[in-house]
Amino acid sequence: MKIGTPKEMYAGENRVAMTPSSVVQLKKLGHECLIESGAGDAAGFSDADYTSAGVMVVQSAADLWSSADVIVKVRQPLITELDLLSDNKTLITFFNPGGNEEGLSKAKTTGANVIAMEMVPRISRAQKMDALSSMANIAGYRAVIEASNNFGRFFTGQITAAGKVPPAKVLVIGAGVAGLAAIGTATSLGAQVYAFDVRPEVAEQIESMGAEFVFLEFEEAMQDGAETGGYAAPSSPEFREKQLEKFLEIAPEIDIVITTALIPNRDAPKLWLNNMLAVMKRGSVVVDLAAERGGNCDATVPDEKIVTESGVTVIGYTDFPSRMATQSSELYASNIRHMLHDLTPEKDGVIVHDMEDDVIRGATVAFKGDVTFPPPPPKVQAIAAKKPAAPEKTPEELAAEEAAAAKRAGGNQIALLVIGALLMFFIGQYAPASFMKHLIVFVLSVFVGFQVIWNVSHALHTPLMAVTNAISGIIILGALLQIGSSSVVVTVLASISVLIATINIVGGFMVTRRMLQMFQKS
Protein backbone atom coordinates (compact mmCIF):
# COMPACT_ATOMS: atom_id res chain seq x y z
CA MET A 1 0.00 0.00 0.00
CA LYS A 2 0.97 3.64 -0.34
CA ILE A 3 1.91 5.48 2.87
CA GLY A 4 1.62 9.25 2.49
CA THR A 5 2.70 12.15 4.69
CA PRO A 6 1.26 15.63 4.07
CA LYS A 7 2.69 18.92 5.22
CA GLU A 8 1.44 19.89 8.69
CA MET A 9 -1.10 22.70 8.55
CA TYR A 10 -0.96 23.61 12.24
CA ALA A 11 0.79 26.97 12.63
CA GLY A 12 4.32 26.60 13.99
CA GLU A 13 4.43 22.81 13.76
CA ASN A 14 7.86 21.73 12.52
CA ARG A 15 7.65 17.97 12.91
CA VAL A 16 6.99 15.45 10.16
CA ALA A 17 5.57 11.93 10.51
CA MET A 18 7.90 10.26 8.02
CA THR A 19 11.68 10.56 7.89
CA PRO A 20 14.18 9.16 5.37
CA SER A 21 15.40 6.63 7.95
CA SER A 22 11.87 5.36 8.71
CA VAL A 23 11.19 4.97 4.98
CA VAL A 24 13.81 2.22 4.79
CA GLN A 25 11.88 0.16 7.33
CA LEU A 26 8.49 0.89 5.76
CA LYS A 27 9.70 -0.34 2.39
CA LYS A 28 10.80 -3.59 4.01
CA LEU A 29 7.15 -4.07 4.98
CA GLY A 30 6.22 -3.90 1.30
CA HIS A 31 4.83 -0.35 1.31
CA GLU A 32 5.40 2.52 -1.10
CA CYS A 33 6.03 5.93 0.44
CA LEU A 34 4.82 9.36 -0.65
CA ILE A 35 5.39 12.80 0.86
CA GLU A 36 4.14 16.26 0.08
CA SER A 37 6.85 18.58 -1.20
CA GLY A 38 8.35 20.61 1.63
CA ALA A 39 6.75 18.53 4.41
CA GLY A 40 10.10 17.79 6.01
CA ASP A 41 11.83 21.13 5.47
CA ALA A 42 11.18 22.52 8.95
CA ALA A 43 12.49 19.29 10.50
CA GLY A 44 15.70 19.39 8.49
CA PHE A 45 14.73 16.85 5.79
CA SER A 46 14.75 18.11 2.22
CA ASP A 47 12.82 16.70 -0.72
CA ALA A 48 16.15 15.47 -2.08
CA ASP A 49 16.70 13.45 1.12
CA TYR A 50 13.37 11.72 0.62
CA THR A 51 13.98 11.14 -3.07
CA SER A 52 17.32 9.49 -2.23
CA ALA A 53 15.50 7.19 0.21
CA GLY A 54 13.07 6.13 -2.54
CA VAL A 55 10.11 8.31 -1.60
CA MET A 56 7.83 9.79 -4.26
CA VAL A 57 7.51 13.57 -3.70
CA VAL A 58 3.98 14.84 -4.44
CA GLN A 59 3.48 18.52 -5.18
CA SER A 60 0.10 19.15 -3.51
CA ALA A 61 -1.76 17.97 -0.43
CA ALA A 62 -4.85 17.08 -2.48
CA ASP A 63 -2.81 14.79 -4.74
CA LEU A 64 -1.20 13.12 -1.74
CA TRP A 65 -4.48 12.50 0.11
CA SER A 66 -6.06 11.07 -3.04
CA SER A 67 -3.08 8.86 -3.92
CA ALA A 68 -2.17 7.42 -0.49
CA ASP A 69 -3.96 4.49 1.14
CA VAL A 70 -2.60 5.36 4.59
CA ILE A 71 -2.08 8.93 5.75
CA VAL A 72 0.37 9.51 8.61
CA LYS A 73 0.40 12.88 10.34
CA VAL A 74 1.56 14.56 13.55
CA ARG A 75 -1.09 17.07 14.59
CA GLN A 76 -4.85 16.67 14.93
CA PRO A 77 -6.25 17.00 11.38
CA LEU A 78 -8.43 19.92 10.37
CA ILE A 79 -11.97 19.26 9.17
CA THR A 80 -10.87 20.26 5.68
CA GLU A 81 -8.29 17.49 5.81
CA LEU A 82 -10.83 14.95 7.05
CA ASP A 83 -12.98 15.85 4.04
CA LEU A 84 -10.27 14.24 1.91
CA LEU A 85 -10.70 10.84 3.60
CA SER A 86 -12.77 7.99 2.21
CA ASP A 87 -13.85 4.56 3.36
CA ASN A 88 -10.83 2.86 1.81
CA LYS A 89 -8.25 4.93 3.68
CA THR A 90 -6.55 4.80 7.08
CA LEU A 91 -5.40 7.85 9.05
CA ILE A 92 -2.71 7.56 11.73
CA THR A 93 -2.07 10.69 13.78
CA PHE A 94 -2.55 12.45 17.09
CA PHE A 95 -6.35 12.86 17.02
CA ASN A 96 -7.41 13.93 20.54
CA PRO A 97 -10.58 11.80 20.45
CA GLY A 98 -11.60 12.86 23.94
CA GLY A 99 -11.82 16.51 22.88
CA ASN A 100 -12.52 16.21 19.17
CA GLU A 101 -16.17 15.24 18.87
CA GLU A 102 -16.55 17.01 15.52
CA GLY A 103 -13.55 15.14 14.11
CA LEU A 104 -14.91 11.78 15.30
CA SER A 105 -18.26 12.52 13.71
CA LYS A 106 -16.56 13.46 10.44
CA ALA A 107 -14.42 10.31 10.50
CA LYS A 108 -17.56 8.23 11.01
CA THR A 109 -19.21 9.92 8.03
CA THR A 110 -16.26 9.23 5.73
CA GLY A 111 -16.04 5.58 6.80
CA ALA A 112 -12.26 5.82 7.11
CA ASN A 113 -10.26 4.01 9.78
CA VAL A 114 -8.60 6.40 12.24
CA ILE A 115 -5.80 5.42 14.62
CA ALA A 116 -5.04 7.94 17.37
CA MET A 117 -1.43 7.66 18.48
CA GLU A 118 -2.17 9.08 21.93
CA MET A 119 -4.58 6.18 22.53
CA VAL A 120 -1.93 3.45 22.24
CA PRO A 121 -2.40 1.35 25.40
CA ARG A 122 0.34 1.70 27.98
CA ILE A 123 1.27 -1.97 28.09
CA SER A 124 4.72 -3.49 27.65
CA ARG A 125 4.14 -4.75 24.10
CA ALA A 126 3.06 -1.29 22.94
CA GLN A 127 5.97 0.73 24.33
CA LYS A 128 7.60 0.92 20.91
CA MET A 129 4.48 2.75 19.63
CA ASP A 130 4.01 5.04 22.65
CA ALA A 131 4.27 8.41 20.91
CA LEU A 132 3.08 10.27 24.02
CA SER A 133 6.11 9.01 25.94
CA SER A 134 8.44 9.80 23.03
CA MET A 135 7.25 13.39 22.88
CA ALA A 136 7.13 13.78 26.67
CA ASN A 137 10.74 12.63 26.86
CA ILE A 138 11.76 15.38 24.45
CA ALA A 139 9.60 17.96 26.25
CA GLY A 140 11.28 17.18 29.58
CA TYR A 141 14.73 17.47 28.06
CA ARG A 142 13.91 20.67 26.19
CA ALA A 143 12.36 22.22 29.32
CA VAL A 144 15.73 22.06 31.05
CA ILE A 145 17.48 23.51 28.00
CA GLU A 146 14.98 26.40 27.88
CA ALA A 147 15.45 26.97 31.61
CA SER A 148 19.24 27.06 31.26
CA ASN A 149 18.92 29.53 28.38
CA ASN A 150 16.94 31.90 30.61
CA PHE A 151 18.88 31.29 33.83
CA GLY A 152 21.72 33.69 34.51
CA ARG A 153 24.09 31.28 36.23
CA PHE A 154 25.79 27.91 35.85
CA PHE A 155 23.85 24.75 36.53
CA THR A 156 26.89 23.04 38.00
CA GLY A 157 28.76 24.25 41.03
CA GLN A 158 32.32 25.48 40.54
CA ILE A 159 35.27 26.56 42.63
CA THR A 160 37.33 29.10 40.74
CA ALA A 161 40.09 31.58 41.54
CA ALA A 162 37.40 34.26 41.57
CA GLY A 163 35.31 32.43 44.16
CA LYS A 164 32.86 29.61 44.70
CA VAL A 165 29.79 29.20 42.46
CA PRO A 166 26.95 27.16 44.05
CA PRO A 167 25.04 24.68 41.87
CA ALA A 168 21.57 25.61 40.65
CA LYS A 169 18.72 24.06 42.61
CA VAL A 170 16.08 22.54 40.34
CA LEU A 171 12.66 21.30 41.45
CA VAL A 172 10.76 18.96 39.11
CA ILE A 173 7.08 18.54 39.97
CA GLY A 174 5.76 15.30 38.53
CA ALA A 175 7.96 12.31 37.80
CA GLY A 176 6.33 10.87 34.72
CA VAL A 177 8.21 10.46 31.46
CA ALA A 178 8.73 14.20 31.02
CA GLY A 179 9.68 14.67 34.67
CA LEU A 180 12.23 11.88 34.64
CA ALA A 181 13.73 13.24 31.42
CA ALA A 182 14.02 16.67 33.05
CA ILE A 183 15.62 15.13 36.15
CA GLY A 184 18.18 13.26 34.06
CA THR A 185 19.06 16.32 32.00
CA ALA A 186 19.34 18.69 34.99
CA THR A 187 21.43 16.17 36.91
CA SER A 188 23.79 15.65 33.99
CA LEU A 189 24.29 19.42 33.80
CA GLY A 190 25.43 19.40 37.42
CA ALA A 191 22.38 20.90 39.12
CA GLN A 192 21.17 19.93 42.57
CA VAL A 193 17.83 18.35 41.69
CA TYR A 194 14.74 17.83 43.82
CA ALA A 195 11.58 16.11 42.62
CA PHE A 196 8.05 15.59 43.88
CA ASP A 197 5.30 13.21 42.83
CA VAL A 198 2.13 12.00 44.53
CA ARG A 199 3.00 8.41 43.61
CA PRO A 200 5.40 7.01 46.22
CA GLU A 201 6.59 4.20 43.94
CA VAL A 202 8.55 6.69 41.81
CA ALA A 203 10.75 7.74 44.75
CA GLU A 204 13.31 5.02 43.97
CA GLN A 205 13.40 6.03 40.29
CA ILE A 206 14.02 9.64 41.27
CA GLU A 207 16.78 8.79 43.72
CA SER A 208 18.42 6.36 41.30
CA MET A 209 18.85 9.27 38.89
CA GLY A 210 20.72 11.33 41.45
CA ALA A 211 17.82 13.56 42.56
CA GLU A 212 16.31 13.98 46.01
CA PHE A 213 12.67 13.01 46.53
CA VAL A 214 10.60 15.64 48.37
CA PHE A 215 8.59 13.79 51.01
CA LEU A 216 5.44 15.04 52.69
CA GLU A 217 4.62 14.23 56.29
CA PHE A 218 1.06 13.21 55.61
CA GLU A 219 -0.84 10.10 56.64
CA GLU A 220 -3.01 9.84 53.53
CA ALA A 221 -2.00 6.98 51.27
CA MET A 222 -0.78 8.39 47.99
CA GLN A 223 -2.62 7.39 44.85
CA ASP A 224 -1.36 4.74 42.47
CA GLY A 225 -1.40 6.15 38.96
CA ALA A 226 -1.55 2.73 37.26
CA GLU A 227 -5.35 2.69 37.33
CA THR A 228 -5.60 5.94 35.39
CA GLY A 229 -3.39 5.10 32.44
CA GLY A 230 -0.14 5.97 34.18
CA TYR A 231 -1.25 9.43 35.28
CA ALA A 232 -1.40 10.47 38.91
CA ALA A 233 -4.90 10.37 40.36
CA PRO A 234 -6.30 13.55 41.92
CA SER A 235 -5.48 13.95 45.62
CA SER A 236 -7.70 15.04 48.47
CA PRO A 237 -8.02 18.75 49.39
CA GLU A 238 -6.12 18.05 52.64
CA PHE A 239 -3.25 16.47 50.75
CA ARG A 240 -3.18 19.34 48.26
CA GLU A 241 -2.95 21.90 51.07
CA LYS A 242 -0.04 20.03 52.63
CA GLN A 243 1.62 19.81 49.22
CA LEU A 244 1.29 23.57 48.61
CA GLU A 245 2.65 24.29 52.08
CA LYS A 246 5.73 22.23 51.27
CA PHE A 247 6.25 24.03 47.95
CA LEU A 248 5.96 27.42 49.65
CA GLU A 249 8.50 26.31 52.25
CA ILE A 250 11.16 25.34 49.71
CA ALA A 251 10.38 28.01 47.07
CA PRO A 252 12.94 30.58 48.38
CA GLU A 253 15.77 28.08 47.88
CA ILE A 254 14.78 26.88 44.40
CA ASP A 255 16.29 28.47 41.29
CA ILE A 256 14.41 26.56 38.59
CA VAL A 257 10.98 24.89 38.72
CA ILE A 258 9.75 22.52 36.02
CA THR A 259 6.10 21.47 36.32
CA THR A 260 4.79 18.48 34.37
CA ALA A 261 1.39 17.70 35.92
CA LEU A 262 -0.88 17.31 32.90
CA ILE A 263 -3.70 14.88 32.08
CA PRO A 264 -5.23 15.09 28.56
CA ASN A 265 -8.52 16.99 28.29
CA ARG A 266 -8.46 18.10 31.92
CA ASP A 267 -7.55 21.47 33.34
CA ALA A 268 -4.03 21.43 34.72
CA PRO A 269 -3.90 21.59 38.54
CA LYS A 270 -2.43 24.78 39.99
CA LEU A 271 0.70 23.76 41.87
CA TRP A 272 3.02 26.79 41.75
CA LEU A 273 1.05 29.76 43.01
CA ASN A 274 1.67 33.51 43.02
CA ASN A 275 2.82 33.47 46.66
CA MET A 276 5.54 30.99 45.70
CA LEU A 277 6.63 33.13 42.76
CA ALA A 278 6.84 36.13 45.10
CA VAL A 279 9.37 34.47 47.42
CA MET A 280 11.59 33.03 44.67
CA LYS A 281 14.91 34.74 44.00
CA ARG A 282 15.08 37.30 41.22
CA GLY A 283 16.33 35.62 38.05
CA SER A 284 14.67 32.28 38.86
CA VAL A 285 12.88 30.37 36.11
CA VAL A 286 9.63 28.40 35.96
CA VAL A 287 9.00 26.13 32.95
CA ASP A 288 5.38 24.97 32.74
CA LEU A 289 4.88 21.88 30.60
CA ALA A 290 1.13 21.95 31.30
CA ALA A 291 0.60 25.34 29.65
CA GLU A 292 -1.71 23.94 26.94
CA ARG A 293 -4.31 23.15 29.63
CA GLY A 294 -3.96 26.39 31.57
CA GLY A 295 -0.67 25.60 33.29
CA ASN A 296 0.43 24.44 36.72
CA CYS A 297 1.70 27.94 37.52
CA ASP A 298 -0.60 30.88 38.29
CA ALA A 299 1.39 33.22 36.06
CA THR A 300 1.64 30.96 32.99
CA VAL A 301 0.55 32.43 29.67
CA PRO A 302 0.25 29.71 26.99
CA ASP A 303 2.79 30.02 24.16
CA GLU A 304 4.52 32.97 25.82
CA LYS A 305 7.46 33.75 28.06
CA ILE A 306 6.83 36.40 30.69
CA VAL A 307 8.73 37.98 33.57
CA THR A 308 6.84 38.61 36.81
CA GLU A 309 7.13 41.77 38.89
CA SER A 310 9.47 39.91 41.24
CA GLY A 311 11.82 39.06 38.36
CA VAL A 312 10.90 35.40 37.85
CA THR A 313 10.76 34.17 34.25
CA VAL A 314 7.75 31.94 33.51
CA ILE A 315 7.91 29.93 30.27
CA GLY A 316 4.60 28.62 28.94
CA TYR A 317 5.54 27.26 25.53
CA THR A 318 3.30 24.46 24.25
CA ASP A 319 5.54 23.28 21.41
CA PHE A 320 8.62 21.89 23.15
CA PRO A 321 8.86 18.77 20.92
CA SER A 322 8.46 20.97 17.83
CA ARG A 323 11.42 23.06 19.01
CA MET A 324 13.55 19.94 18.52
CA ALA A 325 11.86 18.97 15.27
CA THR A 326 14.57 16.72 13.86
CA GLN A 327 14.83 14.52 16.94
CA SER A 328 11.08 14.57 17.55
CA SER A 329 10.36 13.57 13.96
CA GLU A 330 12.79 10.67 14.12
CA LEU A 331 11.19 9.29 17.29
CA TYR A 332 7.60 9.88 16.15
CA ALA A 333 8.30 8.37 12.73
CA SER A 334 9.72 5.34 14.54
CA ASN A 335 6.50 5.04 16.60
CA ILE A 336 4.48 5.23 13.36
CA ARG A 337 6.70 2.66 11.71
CA HIS A 338 6.18 0.22 14.58
CA MET A 339 2.42 0.73 14.36
CA LEU A 340 2.52 -0.05 10.64
CA HIS A 341 4.65 -3.09 11.39
CA ASP A 342 1.82 -4.49 13.53
CA LEU A 343 -0.71 -3.50 10.87
CA THR A 344 1.30 -5.40 8.23
CA PRO A 345 1.79 -8.83 9.83
CA GLU A 346 2.80 -10.59 6.60
CA LYS A 347 5.20 -7.80 5.50
CA ASP A 348 3.51 -7.88 2.12
CA GLY A 349 2.36 -4.28 1.95
CA VAL A 350 -1.20 -5.19 2.92
CA ILE A 351 -2.79 -3.50 5.95
CA VAL A 352 -4.66 -5.91 8.25
CA HIS A 353 -6.69 -3.93 10.79
CA ASP A 354 -7.09 -6.62 13.46
CA MET A 355 -9.61 -5.34 16.00
CA GLU A 356 -8.86 -8.38 18.21
CA ASP A 357 -5.37 -7.03 18.82
CA ASP A 358 -5.25 -5.10 22.10
CA VAL A 359 -2.93 -2.40 20.77
CA ILE A 360 -4.65 -1.81 17.45
CA ARG A 361 -8.11 -1.92 19.03
CA GLY A 362 -7.09 0.46 21.79
CA ALA A 363 -5.67 3.02 19.37
CA THR A 364 -8.52 2.82 16.84
CA VAL A 365 -11.10 5.56 17.36
CA ALA A 366 -13.07 5.11 14.12
CA PHE A 367 -13.47 1.91 12.10
CA LYS A 368 -15.57 1.26 8.99
CA GLY A 369 -18.16 3.93 9.65
CA ASP A 370 -18.37 3.43 13.43
CA VAL A 371 -16.90 5.43 16.29
CA THR A 372 -14.94 2.98 18.44
CA PHE A 373 -13.87 5.46 21.11
CA PRO A 374 -13.52 4.92 24.03
CA PRO A 375 -11.92 1.49 23.72
CA PRO A 376 -12.46 -1.40 26.15
CA PRO A 377 -9.68 -2.00 28.68
CA PRO A 378 -6.81 -4.17 27.36
CA LYS A 379 -7.32 -7.87 27.98
CA VAL A 380 -4.00 -8.07 29.80
CA GLN A 381 -5.14 -5.38 32.21
CA ALA A 382 -8.57 -6.95 32.64
CA ILE A 383 -7.05 -10.33 33.53
CA ALA A 384 -4.67 -8.70 35.97
CA ALA A 385 -7.54 -6.84 37.60
CA LYS A 386 -9.31 -10.12 38.39
CA LYS A 387 -6.48 -11.29 40.59
CA PRO A 388 -7.18 -10.33 44.20
CA ALA A 389 -4.50 -8.27 45.80
CA ALA A 390 -2.53 -10.14 48.43
CA PRO A 391 -3.14 -8.69 51.91
CA GLU A 392 -0.19 -6.89 53.41
CA LYS A 393 1.52 -8.79 56.21
CA THR A 394 2.70 -7.31 59.47
CA PRO A 395 6.42 -7.38 60.40
CA GLU A 396 5.59 -9.97 63.08
CA GLU A 397 3.95 -12.25 60.52
CA LEU A 398 6.87 -11.87 58.12
CA ALA A 399 9.36 -12.65 60.91
CA ALA A 400 7.37 -15.74 61.91
CA GLU A 401 7.29 -16.96 58.30
CA GLU A 402 11.04 -16.44 57.94
CA ALA A 403 11.69 -18.34 61.17
CA ALA A 404 9.44 -21.19 60.02
CA ALA A 405 11.18 -21.31 56.65
CA ALA A 406 14.60 -21.38 58.31
CA LYS A 407 13.45 -24.18 60.61
CA ARG A 408 12.15 -26.19 57.67
CA ALA A 409 15.40 -25.62 55.76
CA GLY A 410 17.43 -26.75 58.76
CA GLY A 411 15.30 -29.84 59.16
CA ASN A 412 15.65 -30.66 55.47
CA GLN A 413 19.45 -30.36 55.66
CA ILE A 414 19.65 -32.67 58.69
CA ALA A 415 17.41 -35.19 56.94
CA LEU A 416 19.60 -35.09 53.84
CA LEU A 417 22.77 -35.56 55.92
CA VAL A 418 21.27 -38.57 57.70
CA ILE A 419 20.12 -40.11 54.43
CA GLY A 420 23.52 -39.43 52.85
CA ALA A 421 25.37 -41.01 55.78
CA LEU A 422 23.19 -44.13 55.66
CA LEU A 423 23.69 -44.36 51.90
CA MET A 424 27.48 -44.14 52.32
CA PHE A 425 27.36 -46.84 54.99
CA PHE A 426 25.51 -49.26 52.76
CA ILE A 427 27.73 -48.53 49.76
CA GLY A 428 30.80 -49.05 51.95
CA GLN A 429 29.67 -52.54 52.84
CA TYR A 430 30.16 -53.68 49.25
CA ALA A 431 32.42 -51.18 47.48
CA PRO A 432 36.24 -51.42 47.60
CA ALA A 433 38.17 -49.01 49.83
CA SER A 434 39.79 -47.19 46.88
CA PHE A 435 36.38 -46.39 45.39
CA MET A 436 35.00 -45.17 48.72
CA LYS A 437 37.92 -42.79 49.16
CA HIS A 438 37.16 -41.03 45.87
CA LEU A 439 33.40 -41.12 46.44
CA ILE A 440 33.67 -39.45 49.85
CA VAL A 441 35.98 -36.75 48.44
CA PHE A 442 33.47 -36.08 45.67
CA VAL A 443 30.47 -35.91 48.03
CA LEU A 444 32.25 -33.60 50.49
CA SER A 445 33.39 -31.37 47.61
CA VAL A 446 29.84 -31.06 46.37
CA PHE A 447 28.44 -30.30 49.82
CA VAL A 448 31.12 -27.88 51.04
CA GLY A 449 31.50 -26.12 47.68
CA PHE A 450 27.76 -25.65 47.36
CA GLN A 451 27.37 -24.27 50.88
CA VAL A 452 30.31 -21.87 50.61
CA ILE A 453 29.53 -20.36 47.19
CA TRP A 454 25.73 -20.56 47.17
CA ASN A 455 25.40 -18.60 50.42
CA VAL A 456 27.26 -15.58 49.01
CA SER A 457 24.83 -12.63 48.87
CA HIS A 458 23.34 -11.88 45.45
CA ALA A 459 24.42 -8.30 46.00
CA LEU A 460 27.88 -9.56 44.97
CA HIS A 461 26.74 -11.52 41.93
CA THR A 462 23.65 -12.32 39.93
CA PRO A 463 21.63 -15.50 40.67
CA LEU A 464 22.91 -17.02 37.42
CA MET A 465 26.51 -16.36 38.47
CA ALA A 466 25.71 -17.89 41.85
CA VAL A 467 24.86 -21.22 40.21
CA THR A 468 27.94 -21.29 37.98
CA ASN A 469 30.18 -20.21 40.86
CA ALA A 470 28.73 -22.94 43.07
CA ILE A 471 29.64 -25.53 40.44
CA SER A 472 33.10 -24.03 40.06
CA GLY A 473 33.56 -24.12 43.86
CA ILE A 474 32.76 -27.82 43.84
CA ILE A 475 35.33 -28.42 41.10
CA ILE A 476 38.04 -26.45 42.94
CA LEU A 477 37.57 -28.27 46.25
CA GLY A 478 37.62 -31.65 44.56
CA ALA A 479 40.66 -30.77 42.47
CA LEU A 480 42.63 -29.44 45.47
CA LEU A 481 42.22 -32.76 47.24
CA GLN A 482 43.53 -34.58 44.16
CA ILE A 483 46.60 -32.39 43.53
CA GLY A 484 48.63 -34.38 46.08
CA SER A 485 48.02 -37.64 44.21
CA SER A 486 50.99 -39.90 43.43
CA SER A 487 49.89 -40.00 39.79
CA VAL A 488 51.39 -37.24 37.63
CA VAL A 489 48.42 -37.34 35.25
CA VAL A 490 45.93 -36.84 38.11
CA THR A 491 47.98 -33.96 39.54
CA VAL A 492 48.18 -32.19 36.15
CA LEU A 493 44.47 -32.61 35.47
CA ALA A 494 43.61 -31.40 38.98
CA SER A 495 45.80 -28.31 38.51
CA ILE A 496 44.13 -27.51 35.18
CA SER A 497 40.72 -27.91 36.83
CA VAL A 498 41.65 -25.45 39.59
CA LEU A 499 42.91 -22.92 37.03
CA ILE A 500 39.84 -23.08 34.78
CA ALA A 501 37.35 -22.99 37.67
CA THR A 502 39.17 -20.04 39.26
CA ILE A 503 39.03 -18.13 35.97
CA ASN A 504 35.30 -18.84 35.80
CA ILE A 505 34.65 -17.57 39.34
CA VAL A 506 36.80 -14.45 39.01
CA GLY A 507 35.33 -13.71 35.59
CA GLY A 508 31.82 -14.10 36.97
CA PHE A 509 32.45 -11.53 39.67
CA MET A 510 34.06 -9.14 37.17
CA VAL A 511 31.11 -9.38 34.79
CA THR A 512 28.68 -8.81 37.64
CA ARG A 513 30.66 -5.81 38.83
CA ARG A 514 30.47 -4.27 35.38
CA MET A 515 26.72 -4.90 35.30
CA LEU A 516 26.28 -3.18 38.66
CA GLN A 517 28.39 -0.22 37.51
CA MET A 518 25.87 0.39 34.73
CA PHE A 519 23.36 1.41 37.41
CA GLN A 520 25.75 3.53 39.46
CA LYS A 521 26.08 7.27 39.04
CA SER A 522 29.67 8.13 38.19
Side-chain angles (χ1 to χ4, degrees):
M1 287 189 169
K2 294 181 179 180
I3 313 296
T5 300
K7 187 186 297 183
E8 295 296 323
M9 299 183 68
Y10 189 89
E13 180 55 67
N14 297 322
R15 291 171 292 178
V16 64
M18 181 189 295
T19 63
S21 59
S22 72
V23 167
V24 177
Q25 301 300 323
L26 292 176
K27 293 178 73 173
K28 289 181 180 179
L29 297 175
H31 297 298
E32 297 180 43
C33 297
L34 295 76
I35 193 165
E36 183 182 352
S37 179
D41 287 348
F45 305 112
S46 66
D47 289 350
D49 294 332
Y50 286 105
T51 302
S52 298
V55 181
M56 179 185 297
V57 178
V58 180
Q59 294 304 314
S60 70
D63 289 342
L64 184 132
W65 284 79
S66 62
S67 301
D69 302 300
V70 180
I71 308 296
V72 295
K73 275 178 47 62
V74 179
R75 285 279 188 170
Q76 175 182 325
L78 305 178
I79 294 300
T80 54
E81 292 179 298
L82 293 177
D83 286 334
L84 300 173
L85 285 175
S86 60
D87 59 1
N88 61 341
K89 295 184 184 298
T90 298
L91 173 64
I92 305 176
T93 183
F94 281 118
F95 198 80
N96 186 28
N100 187 15
E101 186 175 345
E102 184 181 7
L104 282 175
S105 177
K106 189 66 178 178
K108 177 181 178 179
T109 302
T110 63
N113 302 331
V114 178
I115 294 177
M117 290 302 291
E118 65 265 64
M119 292 302 299
V120 170
R122 287 191 161 179
I123 58 178
S124 297
R125 184 168 65 88
Q127 287 181 354
K128 60 188 178 182
M129 302 171 235
D130 190 353
L132 279 179
S133 293
S134 296
M135 298 302 102
N137 180 30
I138 292 175
Y141 174 88
R142 182 69 185 197
V144 177
I145 302 304
E146 291 288 345
S148 67
N149 188 47
N150 288 274
F151 185 56
R153 294 195 288 106
F154 291 139
F155 262 54
T156 185
Q158 292 188 7
I159 299 177
T160 69
K164 182 179 180 181
V165 179
K169 292 185 178 180
V170 178
L171 172 64
V172 178
I173 301 177
V177 176
L180 291 174
I183 291 169
T185 307
T187 302
S188 66
L189 289 175
Q192 187 174 344
V193 184
Y194 303 86
F196 174 83
D197 197 288
V198 298
R199 298 165 294 179
E201 64 268 22
V202 303
E204 290 185 1
Q205 299 177 43
I206 290 170
E207 292 170 353
S208 70
M209 298 182 72
E212 181 178 335
F213 187 71
V214 178
F215 285 96
L216 289 184
E217 295 180 1
F218 195 71
E219 294 182 357
E220 174 185 321
M222 293 185 181
Q223 301 289 341
D224 182 359
E227 295 181 0
T228 55
Y231 297 102
S235 5
S236 69
E238 295 79 12
F239 182 87
R240 172 178 164 77
E241 288 302 318
K242 197 71 176 179
Q243 174 182 336
L244 295 179
E245 286 179 14
K246 186 65 175 180
F247 290 163
L248 183 59
E249 175 189 336
I250 64 178
E253 302 299 322
I254 300 298
D255 299 303
I256 294 169
V257 178
I258 298 174
T259 65
T260 69
L262 175 66
I263 298 178
N265 297 310
R266 294 189 194 176
D267 291 337
K270 296 298 181 183
L271 301 175
W272 204 256
L273 309 184
N274 286 324
N275 59 348
M276 301 169 195
L277 290 170
V279 298
M280 293 181 75
K281 290 172 285 189
R282 181 171 291 274
S284 299
V285 180
V286 176
V287 182
D288 195 339
L289 293 181
E292 65 183 84
R293 297 300 302 177
N296 299 135
C297 177
D298 272 344
T300 297
V301 178
D303 295 312
E304 291 187 21
K305 177 180 72 173
I306 66 165
V307 180
T308 67
E309 293 181 0
S310 58
V312 177
T313 301
V314 181
I315 300 173
Y317 301 149
T318 60
D319 60 347
F320 285 103
S322 186
R323 289 170 180 263
M324 298 185 67
T326 303
Q327 184 65 74
S328 299
S329 298
E330 290 285 9
L331 291 180
Y332 182 69
S334 181
N335 295 140
I336 292 286
R337 186 254 301 176
H338 284 300
M339 175 62 74
L340 286 167
H341 183 276
D342 278 23
L343 287 168
T344 319
E346 300 300 326
K347 299 182 181 180
D348 55 358
V350 177
I351 297 294
V352 179
H353 205 113
D354 183 8
M355 292 295 276
E356 295 300 316
D357 184 291
D358 271 350
V359 177
I360 296 173
R361 173 63 187 90
T364 302
V365 298
F367 183 67
K368 293 184 177 179
D370 290 325
V371 174
T372 57
F373 174 83
K379 297 173 186 176
V380 175
Q381 180 180 349
I383 293 171
K386 293 179 182 179
K387 297 181 180 179
E392 293 187 3
K393 298 178 181 179
T394 64
E396 293 77 11
E397 290 175 334
L398 292 173
E401 287 186 1
E402 290 177 1
K407 185 176 181 180
R408 286 194 300 270
N412 292 339
Q413 287 186 354
I414 293 174
L416 288 173
L417 286 173
V418 171
I419 293 172
L422 291 174
L423 185 62
M424 287 294 159
F425 175 76
F426 286 114
I427 294 176
Q429 298 298 312
Y430 304 98
S434 59
F435 173 80
M436 287 303 300
K437 176 182 176 181
H438 293 293
L439 179 62
I440 290 174
V441 167
F442 173 74
V443 171
L444 289 177
S445 299
V446 170
F447 180 76
V448 175
F450 182 86
Q451 291 297 322
V452 170
I453 301 298
W454 186 262
N455 286 320
V456 174
S457 171
H458 286 173
L460 301 179
H461 53 32
T462 64
L464 177 61
M465 291 299 178
V467 176
T468 58
N469 284 352
I471 296 173
S472 298
I474 293 169
I475 294 172
I476 286 178
L477 287 173
L480 287 174
L481 293 174
Q482 295 295 329
I483 284 180
S485 172
S486 57
S487 172
V488 176
V489 175
V490 172
T491 301
V492 171
L493 291 176
S495 301
I496 295 174
S497 299
V498 171
L499 176 62
I500 294 175
T502 301
I503 292 173
N504 184 55
I505 291 176
V506 174
F509 279 108
M510 291 179 65
V511 169
T512 304
R513 179 175 177 78
R514 290 184 180 180
M515 291 172 62
L516 292 174
Q517 285 177 337
M518 293 170 60
F519 301 94
Q520 293 176 347
K521 185 175 181 293
S522 59

